[in-house]
Amino acid sequence: MDEAFAIVDGAVSPLGDETVPLGEAAGRILATDVVSDVDWPPFDTSAMDGYAVRAAEARAPEAGLRERPGLAAAGDPPPAPLEAGEAVRLMTGAPLPAGADAVVPVEQAKSEAGRVFFERAPETGAHLRRRGESVARGTALLRKGERLRPAGVALAALAGADPISVRRRPRVGIVPTGNELVSAAQAPGPGKLRDSNGPMLDALCRARGWPTVAREPVADEPAAVERLFEHVADADVLVTSGGVSAGDLDLLPPAAARAGWEILFHRVAVRPGKPIAFARRGRQFWFGLPGNPVSASVCFQLFVRRALDRMEGIDSPGAPLVLARLSRRLRPAGPRETYRDARLAEESGGRRVEPLPTAGSHDIAAHARANALIRLPVDGGPLEEGSVVTCVLLER
Ligand code: AMP
Ligand code: MG
């Protein structure tokens, strides 16, 4: 496994940056820091509909203050400075007049014949927002390498970062192979089954924001398989399923080699997923995943995601690893590093992980209940209940 990871890491490098409209940037990895060119709030402003006053002049609220005619609303230029003994009626978001140091909400005020009276004396600073109290101009609001979340989009917008520089996302071509496959919308005839790997791999990519081109299943015929390796279009990575294990119909690695791909590895000491192949042609890469659905999913999580994360310039590529306590004893793995479907839960005492019963690498129903994989080391002893194991998180 370590050798395979080293080969992937050595072969694949970040694709670089591009500039996109902010409206299309949610979920992308930032290529530069976003620094605010404004204070936030941008000016002293009222947090309520009410009256801007000098708090010290409203200490005797029953005496009232002189009400300036008119009303300042959000979007208006700042009103003229507050005069002595004066109150200015304003709306939420309106700029404060210079000299005001409190706002009395309209609910606590009564206007009568050019004077306004207050229920109680305001505190200095009440119901107003000071320029720059949230963000000072020049502050880095978002950092290079960070994923842009919705609140981050708000920060980028207020800082004027539109368009915005982000990492290029890898484009993924997805091709299931196998004579037995029909597409999900079809009724399988005798000996046939519906392609579930194609839609799953497509969904795994889309969930991480990687654009895909998903193709119809390709038959196990040398000419058809060779064609799929010749016409990869603009995909950065081609991901196939099926046709890489040792049987007679496992045509993909030789067809890839004939089409000019350099096989970087084929077969890894991992369970499930042993037949996996990895190749390169120019700047394009191919992952040949095994056809068994759990193997295809696990290989995606372990290998494909690692490569695609790297291409997108993500700082810690690959599915995250966490430690958790095992809920029951597990038999040792043997000569291949083994990944077991499991449910991981946060409990008061820490994380606890429960291995799920599974019928094998075709048991996609068991895998679909898993939110983690337990990693069992090569040639380790049995793992006792309560021991700490490494888990791969599937949902992050
Ligand atoms: P292979 O790796 O081609 O030898 O396929 C291994 C097993 O996975 C066989 O039982 C196939 O029928 C099954 N399989 C292959 N491709 C798919 C697919 N796209 N969707 C569901 N099962 C598949
Ligand atoms: Mg096959």
Side-chain angles (χ1 to χ4, degrees), residues 39-196:
D39 293 316
W40 187 260
F43 41 80
D44 293 346
T45 180
S46 175
M48 300 284 277
D49 290 347
Y51 289 88
V53 300
R54 275 194 190 83
E57 292 181 343
R59 288 280 177 260
E62 63 291 345
L65 292 171
R66 193 169 71 258
E67 182 174 354
R68 184 189 296 179
L71 171 85
D76 289 348
L82 209 57
E83 287 168 14
E86 194 183 35
V88 171
R89 173 90 168 94
L90 36 63
M91 310 286 282
T92 305
L96 285 186
D101 62 7
V103 169
V104 181
V106 72
E107 299 85 345
Q108 297 169 17
K110 206 167 88 197
S111 168
E112 230 177 75
R115 287 193 79 72
V116 58
F117 303 90
F118 305 123
E119 274 175 18
R120 63 183 97 100
E123 305 271 346
T124 304
H127 304 302
L128 53 80
R129 297 166 180 170
R130 287 295 183 193
R131 172 176 182 160
E133 71 179 14
S134 167
V135 173
R137 178 188 168 139
T139 305
L141 298 175
L142 298 166
R143 290 292 184 187
K144 177 176 165 173
E146 201 177 304
R147 193 179 292 279
L148 189 60
R149 295 180 303 126
V153 173
L155 294 176
L158 81 82
D162 186 12
I164 188 166
S165 177
V166 295
R167 306 286 192 210
R168 249 199 73 202
R169 285 184 304 201
R171 301 178 58 82
V172 187
I174 294 165
V175 189
T177 74
N179 279 342
E180 71 277 37
L181 303 179
V182 300
S183 62
Q186 288 177 289
K192 306 288 186 192
L193 50 97
R194 295 192 180 98
D195 162 36
S196 59

Side-chain angles (χ1 to χ4, degrees), residues 10 12 66 77 94 104 140 142 147 194 251-252 285 297 304 327 371:
V12 165
R66 193 169 71 258
V104 181
L142 298 166
R147 193 179 292 279
R194 295 192 180 98
L251 304 163
L252 269 66
F285 295 92
S297 174
V304 183
S327 70
N371 63 356

